């Protein structure tokens, strides 16, 4: 074969691929904590939520224990469930009442402003 002589291939020539960027993956912890702890405002909110749920649980446990002891032979959790639903209904009604009062007040104030104009 002569020097510098190349055979032409019948397959189409391959084009070089454009360089690709590697995606950065977040570091995974292999030892110790499996998550990073919250900081600042988020940790305060998380503590507040936890304290609220603990207080609710304590109240519910006291109520359940009182009913269990006081009822003698008859004790059903459905009674407590009904009482809880009634309490939630009362709270929602109070909230609606407060909201409607504030809406009425804002409407009254806008009317007074319109009169002044």
């Amino acid at each position: 074969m002569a020097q510098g002589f190349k055979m032409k291939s019948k397959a189409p020539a391959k084009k070089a691929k454009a360089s690709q960027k590697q995606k950065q993956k977040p570091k995974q912890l292999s030892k110790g904590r499996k998550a990073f702890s919250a900081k600042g405002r988020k940790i305060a909110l998380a503590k507040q939520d936890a304290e609220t749920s603990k207080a609710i649980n304590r109240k519910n446990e006291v109520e359940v224990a009182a009913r269990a002891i006081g009822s003698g032979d008859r004790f059903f959790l459905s009674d407590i469930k009904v009482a809880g639903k009634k309490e939630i209904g009362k709270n929602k009604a109070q909230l609606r009442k407060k909201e409607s009062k504030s809406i009425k007040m804002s409407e009254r104030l806008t009317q007074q402003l319109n009169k002044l104009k």
Side-chain angles (χ1 to χ4, degrees):
M1 230 183 198
Q3 210 170 359
F5 177 75
K6 292 185 180 177
M7 294 278 296
K8 286 188 178 178
S9 64
K10 293 182 180 177
K14 292 181 181 177
K15 293 184 179 178
K17 286 186 178 179
S19 62
Q20 295 177 342
K21 260 189 178 178
Q22 283 188 334
K23 292 180 183 175
Q24 282 189 330
K25 294 179 183 175
K27 290 183 180 179
Q28 288 185 331
L29 300 173
S30 59
K31 292 183 180 178
R33 268 192 311 234
K34 298 296 178 190
F36 295 103
S37 59
K39 295 179 182 175
R41 185 175 56 91
K42 288 185 180 179
I43 196 163
L45 291 173
K47 281 184 182 178
Q48 188 178 9
D49 289 344
E51 287 170 8
T52 305
S53 62
K54 283 182 182 178
I56 291 169
N57 289 339
R58 271 189 246 116
K59 179 187 170 195
N60 290 341
E61 286 177 12
V62 168
E63 191 174 334
V64 169
R67 291 237 180 147
I69 292 169
S71 66
D73 60 338
R74 185 181 172 274
F75 174 68
F76 296 105
L77 287 175
S78 60
D79 297 340
I80 295 166
K81 183 178 172 184
V82 169
K85 283 189 176 181
K86 284 182 182 176
E87 190 173 342
I88 289 170
K90 287 177 188 175
N91 291 343
K92 284 185 179 178
Q94 285 178 342
L95 183 66
R96 279 193 217 106
K97 192 174 181 182
K98 285 180 184 176
E99 287 176 350
S100 65
K101 278 185 179 179
S102 65
I103 290 169
K104 288 177 184 175
M105 188 176 87
S106 64
E107 287 176 0
R108 192 173 65 246
L109 291 173
T110 52
Q111 287 175 354
Q112 288 176 355
L113 280 173
N114 290 336
K115 285 180 184 178
L116 292 173
K117 287 181 183 178

